[in-house]
């Protein structure tokens, strides 16, 4: 890994680190626009066409929806193959549910001079969750995206995930879907699946919101369809930053950096440390682990985006973290809490050597759907609050109306809205 220690090197890196783009964004956006337009106009016909083109050539329209028998069979096969996996899913479900229950909001009301004012919390009616698939299996994505929706009280959760060449979805993904109580599952992926959820087709219902990670085509489709439908965020490549001092374990840090590197060749892995010795030992451990596991994706990510920054003190490290606003931030040093309270911008913070990023990915409880590409400076992790809407309530008493209407008329007239003022005046005239 590159080691940067001079002020100029560090300043140059931070400046470039603020700009995060996928490769070939403009070209991909044109392709995604075409897919979206086709799905909007041709609905299931286009959905099937693109599913056959990108995922499974022989699939038929009536095979797109996963039937209950498939779900039950997948769960049974998982249980038979490895009962511990089902136990792990249930343990994760419990922790994630417990954490997100603390985020639940309640409606509130108060009475002022005989008037009732308040805010009504309402869950969204239908939500679509996107789960990557094809050759991979991501049961944790099912858990993290659906549980906060369940806690919020969403009436119907619809899952889309691309099938493999044999028209199948991973049994591990389906087992997680059964545990989470997903209402409908469809074997579609990519931009076409996002468009189907946004507009609705003959078989896939239109939803109010789409959440979940995906590749650049999925992310681009979500970005373009925002407004037709709500989205969680436009996710970029994964990223992790570790802040460490001389007390940190280089082997642990190397392992944690590589845990994100294996996500994507564009994943960003950063160590900021006050110790040159730790920097060198982490770099050596990364090389050893890459040679051991022979992961080409992780190797490319480290080559392209792996960097170690050596700073004078931990407060400088915290300031770099606040500028970059990483998706995941680990703090591995003495007096970690002091550093923690200097952090303003991060998707999730992991404190101490027994809080590696993967423990948060799978089991701890907080959501692993996090802001990327510097958006942690203004976005938050996925939560129950993303699956509700808020309605203001105003029930004015006559007495309060008589007191406040003249003030409202005055403001309306200054804004030039005469009919606003008139709406109030006609009531005053009848008193």
């Amino acid at each position: 890994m590159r080691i940067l220690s001079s002020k100029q090197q560090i300043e140059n890196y931070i400046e470039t680190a603020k700009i995060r783009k996928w490769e070939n964004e403009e070209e991909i956006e044109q392709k995604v626009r075409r897919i979206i337009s086709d799905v909007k106009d041709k609905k299931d016909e286009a959905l099937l066409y693109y599913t056959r083109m990108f995922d499974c050539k022989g699939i038929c329209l009536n095979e797109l929806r996963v039937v209950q028998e498939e779900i039950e069979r997948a769960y049974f096969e998982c249980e038979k193959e490895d009962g511990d996996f089902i136990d792990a899913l249930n343990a994760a479900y419990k922790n994630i549910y417990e954490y997100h229950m603390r985020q639940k909001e309640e409606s509130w009301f108060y009475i002022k001079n005989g008037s009732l004012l308040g805010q009504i919390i309402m869950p969204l009616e239908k939500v679509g969750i996107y789960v990557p698939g094809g050759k991979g299996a991501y049961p944790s994505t099912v858990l993290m995206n659906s549980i906060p929706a369940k806690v919020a009280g969403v009436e119907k959760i619809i899952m889309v995930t691309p099938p493999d060449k044999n028209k199948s979805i991973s049994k591990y993904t389906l087992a997680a879907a059964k545990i989470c109580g997903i209402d409908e599952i469809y074997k579609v992926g990519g931009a076409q699946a996002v468009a189907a959820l946004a507009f609705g087709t003959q078989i896939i219902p239109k939803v109010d919101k789409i959440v979940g990670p995906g590749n650049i085509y999925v992310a681009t489709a979500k970005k373009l369809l925002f407004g037709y439908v709500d989205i969680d965020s436009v996710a970029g490549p994964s990223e992790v930053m570790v802040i460490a001092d001389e007390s940190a374990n280089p082997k642990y840090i190397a392992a944690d950096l590589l845990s994100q590197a294996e996500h994507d060749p564009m994943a960003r892995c950063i160590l900021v440390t006050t110790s040159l010795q730790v920097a060198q030992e982490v770099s050596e451990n990364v090389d050893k682990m890459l040679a051991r596991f022979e992961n080409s994706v992780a190797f490319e990510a480290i080559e392209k985006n792996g960097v170690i920054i050596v700073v004078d003190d931990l407060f400088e490290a915290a300031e770099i973290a606040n500028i970059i606003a990483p998706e995941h931030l680990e703090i591995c040093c003495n007096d970690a809490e002091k550093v923690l309270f200097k952090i303003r911008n991060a998707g999730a913070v992991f404190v101490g050597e027994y809080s590696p990023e993967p423990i948060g990915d799978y089991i701890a409880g907080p959501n692993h759907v996090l802001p990327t590409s510097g958006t942690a400076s203004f976005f938050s992790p996925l939560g129950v609050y993303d699956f509700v809407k808020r309605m203001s309530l105003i029930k004015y008493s006559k007495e309060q109306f008589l007191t406040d209407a003249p003030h409202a008329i005055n403001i309306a007239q200054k804004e030039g809205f005469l009919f606003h003022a008139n709406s109030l005046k006609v009531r005053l005239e009848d008193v």
Side-chain angles (χ1 to χ4, degrees), residues 55 181 254 293 359 390:
D55 298 311
F293 289 102
I359 204 73
R390 299 159 186 84

Side-chain angles (χ1 to χ4, degrees), residues 57-84:
K57 290 182 179 179
I59 200 163
C60 299
L61 190 63
N62 62 1
E63 295 175 306
L64 293 184
R65 180 165 180 175
V66 178
V67 297
Q68 192 61 34
E69 288 179 8
E70 291 179 76
I71 299 169
E72 297 296 338
R73 183 168 62 250
Y75 185 88
F76 174 77
E77 288 177 2
C78 287
E79 199 170 36
K80 185 177 179 181
E81 174 190 288
D82 182 5
D84 289 344

Side-chain angles (χ1 to χ4, degrees), residues 6 34 36 72 206 250 263 283 298 305 314 324 330 355-356 376:
S6 75
R34 174 65 182 273
I36 288 172
E72 297 296 338
K206 173 178 168 52
H263 271 295
S283 183
N305 300 303
L314 291 170
I324 293 176
E330 294 188 8
S355 305

Side-chain angles (χ1 to χ4, degrees), residues 45-285:
E45 179 186 345
L47 189 62
L48 185 61
Y49 171 79
Y50 287 112
T51 301
R52 286 174 170 172
M53 177 186 293
F54 297 125
D55 298 311
C56 182
K57 290 182 179 179
I59 200 163
C60 299
L61 190 63
N62 62 1
E63 295 175 306
L64 293 184
R65 180 165 180 175
V66 178
V67 297
Q68 192 61 34
E69 288 179 8
E70 291 179 76
I71 299 169
E72 297 296 338
R73 183 168 62 250
Y75 185 88
F76 174 77
E77 288 177 2
C78 287
E79 199 170 36
K80 185 177 179 181
E81 174 190 288
D82 182 5
D84 289 344
F85 171 67
I86 298 299
D87 291 342
L89 288 181
N90 282 315
Y93 184 99
K94 180 177 179 293
N95 288 352
I96 298 164
Y97 188 90
E98 182 180 74
Y99 180 89
H100 287 83
M101 276 296 292
R102 295 174 182 270
Q103 295 179 342
K104 195 168 184 179
E105 299 177 67
E106 301 292 341
S107 300
W108 53 264
F109 310 94
Y110 68 98
I111 296 173
K112 179 181 178 182
N113 298 329
S115 296
L116 178 65
L117 303 170
Q119 181 173 267
I120 300 171
I121 306 296
M122 292 289 293
L124 300 179
E125 184 179 346
K126 295 192 191 89
V127 166
I129 66 171
Y130 188 96
V131 178
K135 296 178 181 178
Y138 301 94
S140 64
T141 299
V142 182
L143 297 169
M144 292 291 184
N145 284 274
S146 65
I147 292 173
K150 284 284 184 183
V151 171
V154 171
E155 291 181 26
K156 182 173 284 189
I157 300 174
I158 297 155
M159 185 175 106
V160 292
T161 185
D164 62 19
K165 301 297 182 184
N166 298 315
K167 310 179 188 179
S168 298
I169 293 174
S170 162
K171 60 188 175 185
Y172 308 121
T173 299
L174 289 179
K178 175 179 168 61
I179 288 171
C180 292
I182 304 298
D183 297 291
E184 297 177 19
I185 306 172
Y186 294 92
K187 300 175 184 178
V188 293
Q192 61 273 20
V194 178
L197 289 170
F199 297 121
T201 72
Q202 290 91 337
I203 64 167
I204 296 182
K206 173 178 168 52
V207 300
D208 302 309
K209 184 164 189 164
I210 302 170
V211 301
N215 61 19
I216 186 171
Y217 291 90
V218 172
T220 302
K222 288 168 70 177
K223 179 177 72 172
L224 294 174
L225 287 164
F226 176 64
Y228 291 98
V229 66
D230 191 17
I231 63 170
D232 49 354
S233 64
V234 180
S238 188
E239 54 205 22
V240 62
M241 177 184 287
V242 180
I243 293 176
D245 65 6
E246 70 284 351
S247 69
N249 187 318
K251 182 172 68 173
Y252 292 176
I253 295 173
D256 296 351
L257 294 173
L258 288 170
S259 74
Q260 287 307 293
E262 70 177 340
H263 271 295
D264 190 289
M266 290 186 67
R268 184 162 59 184
C269 309
I270 307 165
L271 167 63
V272 185
T273 179
T274 55
S275 168
L276 181 59
Q277 182 178 344
V278 168
Q280 292 168 338
E281 291 183 15
V282 167
S283 183
E284 291 168 5
N285 273 276

